[in-house]
Amino acid sequence: AQLGSGPGWMGPEQPELVGGSPVHNRALELDDLSVPFQPKPYCYSLVLLPSWMGYLDNITAIGPRTVGSPENEVLTVNYLLQQIKAIETESTDAHKIFVDIQRPTGSFSIDFLGGFTSYYANITNVVVKLEPRGGAEHAVLSNCHFDSVPNTPGASDDAVSCSVMLEILYTLSKSSEPLQHAVIFLFNGAEENILQASHGFITQHEWAKSIRAFINLEAAGVGGKELVFQTGPENPWLVQAYVFAAKHPFASVVAQEIFQSGIIPADTDFRIYRDFGNVPGIDLAFIENGYIYHTKYDTSDRILTDSIQRAGDNILAMLKYLATSDMLAKSFEYRHGNVVFFDVLGLFVLAYPARVGTIMNYIIAAIAFLYLGKKVLQPKNRAINNLKKFFTAFGLILLSWISTLVTVLIVAVFISLVGRSLSWYSHFYVSVFLYGTAAVVKLILVHSLAKKFYYKNMNDQYLGDVFFDASLMIWSILLAMITHIGLCSAFICTLWVAFPLLTKLMIHEEFRQKGATMKFVVMYMLGMFVPYLYMMYLNWTVFEMFTPIMGRSGSEIPPDVVLAGFIVASTMILSSYFINFIYLVKSTKTTLITLTAVFLVTLILVCSGIFFPYSSDAANPKPKRVFLQHMNRRFHDLDGNLVKSDSGIWINGFDYNGISHITPHVPEINDTIRTPCEEWAPFCGLPWILPVHFMFRKNWYLPASEIFPASPIHFEVLTKELTPWNSVRLSFEVSGPSHMSLYIRPHEGSALSTWSLGDGTPVASVGGDYFVFYSHGLQATPWHFWIELTASENHSDGVVSLAIAAHYFFGEDQKSPQLYALQERFPNWTFSSGWSCTYDLFVF
């Protein structure tokens, strides 16, 4: 389909489709929609790739789909309606299809990014319900979002998921076999605005009451396998459904516990359905190639057809399974306990209740402790000597790990201080040669020195045996501790206790033989094969996810220190049962010299700058992310007088390197123009689009000419009143662009007690100021809100400072000529996202 032409195109000239009465907030059968459409000229099948590839190409061809823009609110919505209509014409009599265009308005608070409050008005959801001809009481929800972040085509995040959902809708609707339950397809139009559309749906839509489970489709990368990284809460039957139905499983409870710990600065609609809808579900996301996630390179041609086919197979199978399951109707009866789950090399998934895992873990740990106790304490006349040697080995292992961690982190800090952070960003092998070799050298060196000077008269076979047992003890203690904490990821420790223990029991005689014979090595490696293979597989997944994140983790976290820590942890885990070989082999001198040489050569090359962090390779770009905001700022005093104003381009580099690599290309952007913090103003007097100020303390401000938006912000105080309970209530009216940020700082002696936002309880951000994120779709009415403060009698300097920022993400106001010109000078290995904004501060 050629967008923007042809008789089936529904563009802005039909505004009634996206905001008028025909489909505004009511459910219709698609036959009721008197809109033109043009069926796609190819077959609809998950097996025939051109179908969903056509959806994906057409959605991304619309361009960036920022909330409030015509591209998001009109063009994409109409395209989705067109395709849904075409699907309905080919559906069988076994099902009915209903569609609803929902435009909710609402507000909620969330503890994401340090905590803030969100307000949305007239945003868009396209909701489709497929149900049996006789109707259905219960439903399963499939969720994607068609909006994108500004200045990006958003193919992987999340147009591809919407394309897959369209194809699944077609496939299910063509089936002559009726479903037992309804399937609701939510094409949500405001996820990138921090989960607003899903909140509007689950809290306000009439169909939400029937939902018993959901599948959320997301992306943290571009293609690859889609990882199940969140399930539940509780409801182990959902994991069992995935185990039974998924044709290409890729799931890990480790990913779930990492994500829910908050280490990764991201969140998904899963949180909204869980927290505000009390609905259990499954969260899936593409994780490969996160380097181009949320950049201009996130285009449809970069997503492999195999990735989309695999995702389609899995999601279709899951939805069919849930929509025909008796458990869906009684889902609350199966809500008991968490579940341990992990896939085995993508072949199948192992899943079992967490309570079973807890019992199993304690039993395995107890067996290991009994074995070690018997080994060390017998014979009784040598028990004290055995204990001394055992705990010496135990202490030496811990000492070697700690000294390795300290040494490698010192190297990472040195690399950061000399300005060579992220040298491995485009060349991951550099991190292995630099930090991996340093870790291995340090481990081997500590134990080689111990063997030479402390154990110089000790039998090698005895030492190998003792150090194996000491490693087993460490893993057994970790297993008991992590199980006690309640983490399902304790199953990893189970692998590192059970298999080594079995190996030791099977070849205990060989441990006593002199030298490491070939038979011993082969049997030892076979016994360790399972935990080592799984750990390597898990390491690949972790590094696949975390390495690209280091390029967008802010200016405060040294990425080399983080990655070095990961590599040291991996080295310690993988070497834990090979430390004993240091005591079995005759010499480690050759190994130490070789690895030290590799480390030193890599260190010299990194310090010389030969490994440039970023890449503009057309096939595999790894860009540096930079945000530029051309802004006007106006600061007013208590009497409303303008006390300060300025204009400039505010620059934020998204990684630890800041703008050091950009300065040679754009000399005026340098450390002499670091942004000063206006300490007396909320959020330093800067127009943050989200409260991420604690992640980006280093930024730059290049003076520039004033901008004059065609649609300036309108801010008005409606009322000021003293309440009977001696509080001050201020009411406001705001109108402006689709994205605005409100910042509130109560003065000393004052406190923000309540407001008209969220649930009425103000939520402070990091630092104590209050942040409100506002967005609207098309044709939103002015935003009205009030705040209430308690204040002491003496408040001559006012009780509160309040600032409002307007962000222009699309249209004629988005970029000034000066901003365009500056972006053009940026090197091709950068992704610079720019927009215009204004910041106005008032005191009341």
Side-chain angles (χ1 to χ4, degrees):
Q2 195 70 28
L3 288 185
S5 64
W9 175 242
M10 299 180 290
E13 62 273 17
Q14 286 91 18
E16 68 275 8
L17 290 179
V18 295
S21 57
V23 289
H24 181 57
N25 284 334
R26 72 182 186 94
L28 314 172
E29 288 203 46
L30 276 170
D31 285 335
D32 295 337
L33 288 176
S34 56
V35 297
F37 76 94
Q38 185 176 17
K40 294 192 299 175
Y42 32 67
C43 285
Y44 296 77
S45 168
L46 278 177
V47 181
L48 300 179
L49 304 183
S51 182
W52 42 251
M53 285 304 294
Y55 294 138
L56 178 58
D57 290 340
N58 289 340
I59 293 173
T60 55
I62 294 172
R65 301 171 302 283
T66 311
V67 172
S69 68
E71 289 79 7
N72 192 69
E73 310 300 329
V74 178
L75 304 186
T76 307
V77 169
N78 285 346
Y79 177 76
L80 291 171
L81 289 174
Q82 180 185 11
Q83 301 310 314
I84 294 164
K85 177 67 176 178
I87 290 170
E88 192 268 344
T89 61
E90 297 191 35
S91 63
T92 66
D93 292 335
H95 302 96
K96 293 186 296 183
I97 295 179
F98 298 90
V99 65
D100 182 42
I101 308 301
Q102 184 201 20
R103 299 198 181 279
T105 295
S107 181
F108 62 97
S109 295
I110 189 170
D111 61 3
F112 179 52
L113 295 177
F116 66 97
T117 299
S118 183
Y119 185 96
Y120 54 89
N122 207 38
I123 58 175
T124 306
N125 281 321
V126 178
V127 198
V128 182
K129 181 162 70 169
L130 177 74
E131 68 177 14
R133 182 60 61 177
E137 182 182 356
H138 308 287
V140 57
L141 171 70
S142 181
N143 177 78
C144 73
H145 68 90
F146 57 83
D147 66 311
S148 70
V149 295
N151 305 310
T152 70
S156 68
D157 188 23
D158 194 30
V160 64
S161 297
C162 292
S163 302
V164 169
M165 276 174 44
L166 282 171
E167 189 64 28
I168 291 173
L169 171 61
Y170 173 80
T171 302
L172 292 176
S173 69
K174 283 283 286 183
S175 174
S176 58
E177 192 174 320
L179 300 171
Q180 183 178 344
H181 308 292
V183 180
I184 295 174
F185 297 86
L186 174 58
F187 300 88
N188 105 45
E191 188 272 349
E192 297 296 356
N193 280 16
I194 314 300
L195 322 178
Q196 291 178 334
S198 56
H199 182 270
F201 172 78
I202 203 66
T203 60
Q204 299 178 39
H205 201 283
E206 60 178 346
W207 293 346
K209 300 171 186 176
S210 66
I211 295 172
R212 299 293 174 263
F214 69 89
I215 299 175
N216 184 49
L217 312 181
E218 256 297 346
V222 181
K225 294 181 176 181
E226 77 288 353
L227 172 68
V228 173
F229 65 99
Q230 288 191 100
T231 65
E234 301 183 325
N235 288 274
W237 68 277
L238 271 176
V239 177
Q240 292 297 339
Y242 180 82
V243 171
F244 181 84
K247 296 182 179 180
H248 316 284
F250 186 40
S252 176
V253 72
V254 178
Q256 172 172 293
E257 292 182 339
I258 289 175
F259 189 83
Q260 293 181 351
S261 71
I263 293 174
I264 300 176
D267 219 328
T268 74
D269 288 321
F270 182 97
R271 171 200 281 257
I272 298 297
Y273 299 132
R274 178 195 66 195
D275 295 352
F276 292 94
N278 197 28
V279 181
I282 291 180
D283 215 356
L284 301 98
F286 294 109
I287 64 168
E288 191 174 287
N289 197 10
Y291 299 97
I292 58 177
Y293 165 79
H294 280 189
T295 73
K296 64 182 180 182
Y297 301 105
D298 184 12
T299 53
S300 59
D301 59 299
R302 296 185 186 276
I303 305 176
L304 298 178
T305 54
D306 287 349
S307 297
I308 309 176
Q309 185 69 57
R310 183 168 49 238
D313 288 344
N314 283 344
I315 298 160
L316 174 63
M318 275 286 293
L319 286 174
K320 287 182 69 175
Y321 181 89
L322 292 173
T324 55
S325 169
D326 292 332
M327 286 190 289
L328 187 75
K330 306 174 183 177
S331 61
F332 288 99
E333 295 181 14
Y334 300 96
R335 186 168 187 161
H336 52 275
N338 293 316
V339 62
V340 180
F341 62 93
F342 56 94
D343 74 283
V344 179
L345 306 179
L347 301 175
F348 58 91
V349 176
L350 286 177
Y352 50 88
R355 60 183 182 277
V356 173
T358 298
I359 296 170
M360 181 175 66
N361 293 347
Y362 281 134
I363 290 174
I364 291 173
I367 292 172
F369 288 136
L370 286 172
Y371 162 79
L372 292 170
K374 182 178 179 181
K375 181 86 176 292
V376 172
L377 298 177
Q378 291 184 354
K380 291 183 179 181
N381 60 337
R382 296 178 57 188
I384 295 177
N385 189 44
N386 288 343
L387 278 171
K388 180 182 176 182
K389 291 175 180 176
F390 177 79
F391 283 108
T392 300
F394 184 91
L396 268 172
I397 292 176
L398 293 181
L399 176 65
S400 68
W401 285 359
I402 293 170
S403 62
T404 298
L405 179 62
V406 171
T407 301
V408 177
L409 290 184
I410 288 173
V411 174
V413 170
F414 171 76
I415 293 296
S416 301
L417 292 175
V418 299
R420 297 304 180 191
S421 285
L422 294 168
S423 296
W424 37 265
Y425 191 64
S426 291
H427 325 274
F428 185 73
Y429 61 87
V430 173
S431 65
V432 178
F433 290 164
L434 183 64
Y435 301 124
T437 55
V440 174
V441 165
K442 186 66 176 185
L443 274 173
I444 294 176
L445 182 62
V446 170
H447 290 284
S448 296
L449 292 174
K451 177 183 177 182
K452 183 176 181 179
F453 296 106
Y454 186 80
Y455 292 119
K456 55 185 176 181
N457 296 319
M458 194 79 70
N459 178 272
D460 292 348
Q461 283 66 45
Y462 178 77
L463 286 176
D465 192 30
V466 169
F467 274 90
F468 182 95
D469 290 345
S471 296
L472 182 61
M473 172 62 85
I474 291 173
W475 279 108
S476 301
I477 292 172
L478 286 173
L479 174 59
M481 289 175 59
I482 296 175
T483 302
H484 177 72
I485 293 172
L487 295 178
C488 294
S489 298
F491 79 90
I492 296 175
C493 298
T494 303
L495 297 177
W496 286 102
V497 173
F499 283 92
L501 182 58
L502 285 172
T503 302
K504 182 68 180 296
L505 294 174
M506 290 171 59
I507 60 172
H508 64 279
E509 293 294 335
E510 283 76 4
F511 264 92
R512 300 174 184 174
Q513 295 177 6
K514 188 173 182 179
T517 64
M518 182 58 69
K519 179 183 177 184
F520 169 77
V521 172
V522 170
M523 294 183 68
Y524 191 90
M525 294 296 291
L526 287 174
M528 297 291 182
F529 180 75
V530 171
Y532 273 91
L533 180 64
Y534 182 77
M535 201 62 212
M536 293 295 288
Y537 178 65
L538 185 61
N539 275 347
W540 169 82
T541 304
V542 170
F543 284 111
E544 183 80 29
M545 289 177 61
F546 271 94
T547 305
I549 289 173
M550 293 296 98
R552 56 180 192 269
S553 58
S555 63
E556 304 307 299
I557 302 173
D560 278 66
V561 172
V562 175
L563 188 71
F566 276 126
I567 290 176
V568 170
S570 298
T571 304
M572 291 190 299
I573 292 170
L574 295 173
S575 67
S576 54
Y577 286 107
F578 279 89
I579 288 174
N580 53 309
F581 277 90
I582 299 173
Y583 296 91
L584 292 174
V585 298
K586 291 182 179 179
S587 174
T588 58
K589 185 176 180 180
T590 303
T591 303
L592 282 172
I593 292 173
T594 303
L595 292 177
T596 302
V598 172
F599 165 72
L600 291 174
V601 169
T602 306
L603 180 63
I604 292 169
L605 292 175
V606 167
C607 291
S608 71
I610 195 171
F611 299 114
F612 191 69
Y614 315 106
S615 169
S616 59
D617 179 19
N620 189 24
K622 295 176 180 177
K624 176 180 178 62
R625 300 162 189 259
V626 185
F627 276 16
L628 301 98
Q629 296 170 240
H630 193 165
M631 64 178 180
N632 293 342
R633 295 193 300 176
R634 294 183 292 266
F635 300 85
H636 302 83
D637 63 13
L638 184 58
D639 298 321
N641 301 314
L642 183 65
V643 295
K644 179 182 178 181
S645 66
D646 59 19
S647 300
I649 297 177
W650 185 40
I651 303 162
N652 276 283
F654 258 48
D655 62 49
Y656 190 75
N657 285 330
I659 44 86
S660 58
H661 293 87
I662 294 175
T663 301
H665 301 268
V666 190
E668 60 265 39
I669 301 178
N670 55 63
D671 279 335
T672 65
I673 60 166
R674 286 281 293 274
T675 311
C677 174
E678 305 289 351
E679 298 287 352
W680 51 278
F683 291 90
C684 283
L686 295 168
W688 295 100
I689 181 63
L690 288 171
V692 292
H693 53 293
F694 60 94
M695 296 173 61
F696 299 90
R697 299 189 188 279
K698 291 184 291 188
N699 37 65
W700 296 262
Y701 188 43
L702 183 66
S705 58
E706 186 177 357
I707 57 173
F708 299 93
S711 304
I713 193 169
H714 170 78
F715 181 82
E716 182 181 353
V717 183
L718 298 180
T719 61
K720 299 179 185 179
E721 58 181 304
L722 188 65
T723 66
W725 45 92
N726 206 31
S727 294
V728 179
R729 175 174 289 196
L730 304 172
S731 300
F732 303 93
E733 177 183 280
V734 185
S735 59
S738 63
H739 292 71
M740 293 184 282
S741 305
L742 176 70
Y743 322 96
I744 302 173
R745 174 182 291 180
H747 292 185
E748 187 175 354
S750 304
L752 183 60
S753 56
T754 185
W755 57 10
S756 59
L757 306 170
D759 62 1
T761 303
V763 174
S765 295
V766 173
D769 294 337
Y770 296 85
F771 187 101
V772 181
F773 178 83
Y774 169 91
S775 75
H776 69 71
L778 293 178
Q779 302 169 345
T781 58
W783 178 28
H784 292 91
F785 68 93
W786 54 261
I787 62 174
E788 194 170 295
L789 303 106
T790 56
S792 60
E793 290 185 8
N794 182 20
H795 44 76
S796 58
D797 61 342
V799 295
V800 64
S801 292
L802 186 148
I804 186 84
H807 302 271
Y808 298 89
F809 281 125
F810 54 86
E812 60 179 340
D813 290 333
Q814 181 181 4
K815 294 183 184 179
S816 64
Q818 196 168 355
L819 180 56
Y820 266 119
L822 182 62
Q823 285 187 284
E824 287 297 314
R825 296 173 59 194
F826 274 59
N828 60 359
W829 40 262
T830 63
F831 167 68
S832 59
S833 182
W835 68 93
S836 298
C837 59
T838 61
Y839 178 99
D840 292 275
L841 174 72
F842 305 92
V843 181
F844 301 100

